[in-house]
Amino acid sequence: MLHVELIEHIRRSLPAVRRELSQKLNLLRKDVKLMDQMMGFNKEGSNGVQVFMQKLVFMFIEDMQTKLIGHSESVGVNELKAGALINFKIYSNLKKIMKMPTSLNSDEFMNLIANVHGIRNILSVPSIALEAACAKILEKYKLPIENLVDAIVDILILAVEESAALIYDYPCLKEHISRFINESIDQASEECKDMLEKNLESQMKCCNIYHWDLNICLWESNFSCSHVKVWSFEDDENNESTTSVDYDEDVEPTTSIDDGLSSFSKLISVKMMGNDNAKKNSQTLSDMIEKYILLVQKQIADTTYKYINVFLVHRVCDFIRKDLIINLMNFSGKDVIMQECEQEFERRNEMLDLSADLEEALAAVQSF
């Protein structure tokens, strides 16, 4: 009687056991199939560690491309990825650059005009003064542009680290992928900085006052400028026979060239700042410079955006897509990476053994 009850109990329990075994077997077969696809097993059962490594790298590449370039149905929805962050960073920084000074102060302009003439009399505002002023203004843009490139580099490096998490189980492969890409980022960033610096240098050294968007294209001889006598004051102009120099009350009358060029320069500068013609010339140059720099700012911002996109971000993407696999395959330490991937084949064999055991157990249950 007890024997019969035991048999009936087993028969009632078998369907649940059979379902559990069947579910585990199906999941295991599914995992093995995915591994076969990753490892390059074909119908004949042949495989290659190299194929497996390449597929791991392709998985990383696809994730990086999606993060940076987007244009895929697999883009993320939970947070902004690297490409969108780069776009925001570029435009937010360029907005700050566009708000940088577009002119010098009045004193600086007067000193610049006088220094451009050197030992010559100040009779006009030569075009070289325009270039000198542009150079002084635009040299302040160099550091912010370099900092922007560095900020984009930081985002790229973080994106690489994030995508490399997909191959976390393969530390050697992960390390060398990150190293090759970071080297590419460093090289591209230096080239990008160099190109941006050359573009800025061209703007500093060559002013196109006949720019088609500039409405004040005047010949140098037509500048509304007046001659400047640094030693001339209103009192002197009212009395042409007066040849003596009356110093301002704020300037020490004892100051002379014997006290050094710096002290003597301050004395003459103070005198020049009170000259009406010098002020007019300074304002003339200031008006032209400000309008011209506004045009240059737009060109610098547009070029900076394009150069960073093309010669940094896209160049790194091209390296990842075209050259990363080649670098890994030609790498002298490739064998270490291959050995790391071979461990997955051992795990696959263990899964196949477990699958065979489950099949045997399921067959025994079904035959009961």
Side-chain angles (χ1 to χ4, degrees):
M1 186 67 179
L2 183 60
H3 178 68
V4 174
E5 289 181 359
L6 181 59
I7 292 175
E8 287 299 322
H9 175 72
I10 292 174
R11 284 178 177 173
R12 287 194 300 269
S13 302
L14 282 180
V17 174
R18 186 164 49 246
R19 282 195 302 272
E20 184 178 356
L21 288 174
S22 180
Q23 289 174 356
K24 288 183 177 180
L25 181 59
N26 288 334
L27 289 174
L28 195 57
R29 285 173 175 171
K30 186 177 180 179
D31 290 342
V32 171
K33 184 178 180 180
L34 290 174
M35 292 188 73
D36 286 350
Q37 292 175 351
M38 284 291 295
M39 294 177 177
F41 280 87
N42 56 31
K43 294 180 180 179
E44 288 73 31
S46 61
N47 64 85
V49 176
Q50 181 172 311
V51 174
F52 177 55
M53 184 200 75
Q54 290 176 350
K55 291 198 173 185
L56 288 174
V57 177
F58 286 142
M59 181 173 64
F60 167 86
I61 292 174
E62 182 179 358
D63 191 67
M64 278 294 298
Q65 288 288 117
T66 303
K67 280 185 172 69
L68 292 175
I69 307 301
H71 200 64
S72 170
E73 66 277 2
S74 59
V75 295
V77 296
N78 296 323
E79 61 181 3
L80 293 175
K81 296 299 181 180
L85 296 177
I86 287 173
N87 184 276
F88 169 80
K89 189 65 178 177
I90 291 176
Y91 275 106
S92 60
N93 280 43
L94 288 179
K95 186 176 181 180
K96 295 177 182 177
I97 291 175
M98 293 286 284
K99 292 181 179 180
M100 291 182 66
T102 57
S103 187
L104 303 174
N105 62 46
S106 177
D107 293 354
E108 290 172 327
F109 273 125
M110 281 189 271
N111 287 334
L112 184 146
I113 293 171
N115 287 332
V116 163
H117 283 82
I119 63 173
R120 302 172 186 85
N121 294 329
I122 304 176
L123 301 178
S124 66
V125 179
S127 58
I128 193 173
L130 182 69
E131 295 176 353
C134 283
K136 292 298 180 183
I137 295 169
L138 294 178
E139 67 181 356
K140 301 174 184 177
Y141 288 57
K142 181 178 179 181
L143 184 59
I145 291 175
E146 287 184 353
N147 290 340
L148 173 56
V149 175
D150 290 336
I152 303 306
V153 166
D154 291 340
I155 296 176
L156 287 172
I157 291 174
L158 290 174
V160 171
E161 292 178 359
E162 188 177 284
S163 293
L166 294 173
I167 50 176
Y168 178 81
D169 293 330
Y170 312 94
C172 186
L173 177 62
K174 175 177 176 290
E175 176 188 350
H176 292 296
I177 283 179
S178 299
R179 179 173 65 85
F180 283 129
I181 297 177
N182 288 342
E183 289 175 357
S184 170
I185 292 173
D186 290 341
Q187 181 179 353
S189 65
E190 289 303 316
E191 292 177 359
C192 183
K193 284 181 181 179
D194 184 59
M195 296 179 70
L196 287 170
E197 184 178 353
K198 288 179 179 177
N199 175 66
L200 185 61
E201 185 179 356
S202 70
Q203 297 291 348
M204 292 168 61
K205 292 186 176 181
C206 183
C207 295
N208 180 17
I209 61 172
Y210 297 118
H211 194 288
W212 35 90
D213 290 330
L214 193 63
N215 296 324
I216 52 174
C217 299
L218 304 173
W219 291 98
E220 181 177 320
S221 59
N222 290 334
F223 284 179
S224 56
C225 301
S226 305
H227 69 279
V228 177
K229 292 182 180 179
V230 178
W231 57 89
S232 179
F233 291 90
E234 292 181 1
D235 292 342
D236 297 332
E237 292 171 358
N238 293 332
N239 184 6
E240 294 182 358
S241 62
T242 302
T243 57
S244 62
V245 177
D246 296 327
Y247 293 101
D248 290 348
E249 295 179 358
D250 296 336
V251 181
E252 291 291 337
T254 57
T255 303
S256 69
I257 196 170
D258 295 333
D259 298 319
L261 289 180
S262 179
S263 298
F264 191 57
S265 172
K266 291 178 181 178
L267 170 67
I268 303 303
S269 292
V270 170
K271 292 168 63 63
M272 185 170 61
M273 302 311 167
N275 187 287
D276 289 338
N277 286 347
K279 292 178 182 178
K280 291 178 183 178
N281 293 348
S282 171
Q283 189 61 47
T284 298
L285 183 58
S286 176
D287 292 342
M288 177 172 284
I289 283 289
E290 189 161 2
K291 292 179 181 179
Y292 181 73
I293 290 294
L294 287 174
L295 291 176
V296 174
Q297 271 188 338
K298 294 178 181 179
Q299 190 277 335
I300 290 175
D302 184 61
T303 301
T304 301
Y305 169 77
K306 292 175 180 176
Y307 279 20
I308 290 177
N309 264 284
V310 175
F311 299 112
L312 177 54
V313 179
H314 277 85
R315 184 158 293 179
V316 171
C317 286
D318 288 343
F319 172 83
I320 293 173
R321 184 166 50 89
K322 298 177 181 179
D323 300 324
L324 180 58
I325 286 286
I326 297 175
N327 278 264
L328 286 169
M329 297 309 298
N330 294 331
F331 173 52
S332 59
K334 181 182 68 174
D335 292 341
V336 179
I337 299 176
M338 294 298 185
Q339 290 174 4
E340 188 176 63
C341 294
E342 283 178 357
Q343 296 175 2
E344 284 296 288
F345 286 79
E346 296 177 3
R347 190 165 74 90
R348 176 184 178 275
N349 291 333
E350 293 174 358
M351 293 173 67
L352 288 175
D353 292 339
L354 179 58
S355 178
D357 292 340
L358 287 174
E359 288 176 355
E360 184 178 348
L362 185 60
V365 169
Q366 290 174 342
S367 64
F368 186 80

